[in-house]
Amino acid sequence: MKIIISPRFFLLILLVLIGQLGIGCNAKQTNNIPNRLTIGVVSYGEGKVSLDKYERFKDYIGSQTRSLIELEPAYNELQAVAQIQRKRWDIVFAAPGLAAIAIGKELYIPLFSMEGVSSRQRSLLIVRDEQPIKKISDLANKTVALGETGSAAGYYVPLYDLYGLTLAQIRSAPTPETVLEWISNKTVDAGAISEQDFELYQRKFATTKFRILHTSRWIPPGVVLLAPTVERNQQQQIQKAMNDAPADIAADAGYVPAARIPNYTEFIKLIEKVKPLEGRVKQKPATLLPEKPDQPK
């Protein structure tokens, strides 16, 4: 039996095949469009010097994941918190305070520890040596400098350690160096700063003799975080690339692939405890006790 195909039917089949081929090509072209990833870091305005160490990491991750990488600095923790809340940063090199917020509230995923366990840090309360302030309770009715919201050593931990005191005023310092500057020029009576930052910046104030009034509990190391908005296959690509990165690239970026990721459960609880104090921080005087709920009439 001879099957006869009409020219019109043949043309219809041809058009369908061409259409399917076009769809396949378009899909292939779409798949070839590189993804965009934004790496977030806090640089305290130190500019190119502090950001250079991430350049090789940026190039490496871009080549391994076939993505366009943008390195975006924030110049204090307040800016960084805003970017994390908006999910603008896909990969975050997060200090402990930012990490606790990102993990606890914003569902960011911890990938790698930024330091070995022995490199954990603590918060210090610093005064001028000649001050007659010998213990934390002596700070009652004094002026104290804290860091920005989001800083573990500069904000959350000292708030926890100052819990219950009434201070004349709390001043918000944009950088750790500013804390020491204000103590040096007697703008404030005391200030909070991390051990690492104190060691780094105190040498800039050679004419001032500082004294450590209080040393806090240990703070967990920072972590590299991944935004929950990153697609799962890409998450796995990024994690593998970072785990396999040459040692010098990982060291420059400041993370340790083999180190155990710190447990943030207790530190998140500490931050939750001092959260109710945040409404008091800008008051004069600043009474560091939670505001009492309105009594029923």
Side-chain angles (χ1 to χ4, degrees):
M1 179 177 178
K2 188 174 181 181
I3 298 174
I4 299 175
I5 300 175
S6 69
R8 181 179 295 178
F9 184 69
F10 179 77
L11 180 61
L12 180 61
I13 293 174
L14 184 61
L15 289 173
V16 170
L17 290 173
I18 291 172
Q20 289 179 340
L21 181 63
I23 291 171
C25 289
N26 287 337
K28 187 174 181 181
Q29 289 172 357
T30 301
N31 290 337
N32 284 335
I33 297 175
N35 294 300
R36 289 182 178 271
L37 292 171
T38 300
I39 299 173
V41 299
V42 177
S43 74
Y44 293 124
E46 292 165 15
K48 190 173 184 297
V49 174
S50 64
L51 295 179
D52 276 348
K53 63 182 183 178
Y54 294 104
E55 284 299 324
R56 292 178 63 212
F57 173 80
K58 183 183 82 168
D59 294 341
Y60 169 76
I61 289 295
S63 66
Q64 293 297 306
T65 63
R66 298 181 181 179
S67 302
L68 294 176
I69 307 293
E70 179 183 2
L71 181 63
E72 183 179 290
Y75 298 113
N76 57 51
E77 286 86 357
L78 204 57
Q79 292 179 6
V81 168
Q83 294 300 79
I84 287 170
Q85 289 173 336
R86 294 170 188 157
K87 308 297 189 296
R88 296 283 180 84
W89 287 350
D90 302 299
I91 301 172
V92 185
F93 286 82
L98 292 180
I101 293 171
I103 295 168
K105 292 291 186 184
E106 307 301 332
L107 305 180
Y108 272 69
I109 303 162
L111 291 185
F112 297 99
S113 173
M114 284 176 61
E115 300 173 283
V117 175
S118 61
S119 298
R120 293 178 303 168
Q121 61 177 311
R122 292 177 292 187
S123 173
L124 306 177
L125 287 171
I126 303 295
V127 295
R128 290 176 64 99
D129 188 52
E130 75 272 13
Q131 285 268 35
I133 298 172
K134 303 301 180 185
K135 53 188 183 295
I136 286 184
S137 60
D138 293 338
L139 292 175
N141 303 311
K142 302 293 186 184
T143 298
V144 176
L146 298 183
E148 296 281 8
T149 304
S151 169
Y155 184 80
Y156 293 119
V157 173
L159 266 185
Y160 183 86
D161 291 339
L162 293 166
Y163 194 96
L165 284 183
T166 295
L167 304 174
Q169 182 185 1
I170 292 175
R171 295 200 61 183
S172 180
T175 68
E177 185 177 353
T178 305
V179 172
L180 294 184
E181 179 185 338
W182 286 351
I183 297 170
S184 178
N185 64 25
K186 301 183 181 179
T187 300
V188 300
D189 299 294
I193 191 172
S194 74
E195 279 185 308
Q196 293 172 347
D197 287 333
F198 182 56
E199 291 171 3
L200 177 64
Y201 293 114
Q202 67 170 323
R203 66 194 69 174
K204 294 188 176 183
F205 303 92
T207 59
T208 302
K209 189 174 181 182
F210 296 108
R211 174 164 48 85
I212 297 172
L213 174 68
H214 173 75
T215 302
S216 78
R217 65 180 60 199
W218 287 106
I219 299 170
V223 289
V224 183
L225 303 171
L226 200 62
T229 50
V230 176
E231 192 270 329
R232 184 169 180 79
N233 286 338
Q234 194 173 31
Q235 287 182 15
Q236 294 172 346
Q237 277 187 335
I238 294 168
Q239 188 164 11
K240 184 178 188 308
M242 290 184 67
N243 191 63
D244 297 343
D248 55 336
I249 290 179
D252 281 351
Y255 72 96
V256 185
R260 185 175 180 178
I261 297 174
N263 186 331
Y264 264 77
T265 303
E266 293 303 316
F267 194 65
I268 290 172
K269 288 179 182 177
L270 180 149
I271 289 178
E272 289 302 315
K273 182 170 182 179
V274 300
K275 276 287 184 183
L277 303 181
E278 292 190 331
R280 303 274 194 172
V281 168
K282 296 188 182 300
Q283 296 177 356
K284 297 180 186 179
T287 300
L288 298 181
L289 287 170
E291 295 183 11
K292 294 181 180 179
D294 293 335
Q295 295 295 325
K297 294 180 181 180

